[in-house]
Every structure is written in C-alpha cells, then in structure tokens.
Amino acid sequence: MAVTKIRKISSWTLLISAVVSIVVLGMFFAGGVVDPAAEMKEPVYTGLLIDWTSILFFVTIISTVLFAVWQFIGLLKTDTKSAITSLVTLVCFAALLFITYTMGDATPLEGLNADSQEYNTAGWLKISDMWIMSTIALIVMIVACIFWGSIKRILGK
C-alpha cells in the first residue's frame, strides 16, 4: 500500500509541475514584449520564467539531498554496503556541482538592462554556468546509462 501511495504522490507532483511549466512557458512565449520598439526585445514574463526554473532547480537539489540522506540513514541500519554506495552517490553529486561551479565563467555580460545588472556578478554568472553544465552532464550520464543498460540486456540474452 505504501508503494502505491508513493507512486500516486510522485505522479501528481510530476503532473502538477509539468502543467505549471507548460503554463509558464506559454505565458513567456505568448505574453508579448515590454517595449516593442526596443533594440533588444524583453518578453513580459521573463521574471516569471526565471523564478519558476529557479524554484524547480532548488526543489530538485533540496529533495535530492534530503532523500539521499534519508536513504543513507535507512540503509545504514540494514545494509552497510548499500549505505556506503548511497553516500558515494551523494558525494559525486556534490562534486559535480562543485566542479561545474569552478568551471563557470565570471566574465560580466554586455548589453544587459539596468535591472539585470545586479545579477551580472561573478557569483551569479558562475552559478548560472554551474546550472547549465550540471544539467548537460546529468543528461549525458542518463543517456549513457540507458545505452549501457540496453547493451547489457542485449549481450545477456
């Protein structure tokens, strides 16, 4: 029964976040621009899109860390080897974030409006690069795992 409840919660969470994401994207692309005569057009709902993606990013990071710690504590009582594997996964995730943060470029961007200048600092620029590079690295790892699983299944038959 607990598995069914977890699946329902995760399914509803995915459905709600997908619907909100589609609505936010629709508002961003169909919402128009602040000043149509401006050289660099700024969509009206840029702030909403940035806020929503930031919320998704931080909720993902926080939930990943919390569930990893929860799993580690639960496994530590029953299966020490699996607990160590869980801890190694968490450390690798933290290392990925640290490495991609240090790889980030701190060069200020040109041509931003006055409102955006407060985020045109080395720290925010490196965090943005960390976010992008971590996402790319995780996607590559997911695709590699899918291919590895497929190849392993084919060779196992």
Side-chain angles (χ1 to χ4, degrees), residues 92-115:
C92 288
F93 184 69
L96 173 69
L97 293 176
F98 176 75
I99 290 167
T100 54
Y101 178 82
T102 56
M103 289 172 52
D105 186 14
T107 307
L109 300 173
E110 302 281 331
L112 295 178
N113 62 18
D115 294 334

Side-chain angles (χ1 to χ4, degrees), residues 18-31 48-49 52-53:
V19 168
V20 171
S21 296
I22 290 169
V23 169
V24 168
L25 283 172
M27 289 173 67
F28 177 76
F29 287 114
L48 177 65
L49 180 65
W52 179 244
T53 54

Side-chain angles (χ1 to χ4, degrees), residues 59-80:
V59 166
T60 302
I61 297 296
I62 291 168
S63 62
T64 300
V65 170
L66 288 177
F67 284 124
V69 169
W70 184 24
Q71 180 184 14
F72 175 73
I73 292 170
L75 287 174
L76 195 57
K77 298 174 185 175
T78 58
D79 187 7
T80 308

Side-chain angles (χ1 to χ4, degrees), residues 2-152:
V3 174
T4 305
K5 187 175 182 179
I6 290 171
R7 285 188 183 162
K8 284 183 182 180
I9 292 171
S10 64
S11 296
W12 276 105
T13 304
L14 177 63
L15 182 64
I16 290 169
S17 61
V19 168
V20 171
S21 296
I22 290 169
V23 169
V24 168
L25 283 172
M27 289 173 67
F28 177 76
F29 287 114
V33 294
V34 174
D35 182 13
E39 182 179 334
M40 295 181 69
K41 305 219 179 334
E42 177 189 353
V44 174
Y45 294 106
T46 303
L48 177 65
L49 180 65
I50 292 172
D51 290 343
W52 179 244
T53 54
S54 298
I55 288 169
L56 287 177
F57 178 73
F58 288 116
V59 166
T60 302
I61 297 296
I62 291 168
S63 62
T64 300
V65 170
L66 288 177
F67 284 124
V69 169
W70 184 24
Q71 180 184 14
F72 175 73
I73 292 170
L75 287 174
L76 195 57
K77 298 174 185 175
T78 58
D79 187 7
T80 308
K81 184 178 179 183
S82 294
I84 299 297
T85 304
S86 172
L87 185 62
V88 168
T89 302
L90 183 62
V91 169
C92 288
F93 184 69
L96 173 69
L97 293 176
F98 176 75
I99 290 167
T100 54
Y101 178 82
T102 56
M103 289 172 52
D105 186 14
T107 307
L109 300 173
E110 302 281 331
L112 295 178
N113 62 18
D115 294 334
S116 301
Q117 287 302 325
E118 67 179 294
Y119 301 108
N120 200 14
T121 62
W124 281 114
L125 293 169
K126 289 175 78 78
I127 286 174
S128 296
D129 286 350
M130 173 192 73
W131 186 350
I132 293 167
M133 288 186 277
S134 295
T135 302
I136 292 168
L138 290 171
I139 289 171
V140 167
M141 286 188 265
I142 289 169
V143 170
C145 287
I146 291 170
F147 282 129
W148 176 254
S150 298
I151 291 170
K152 191 174 175 182

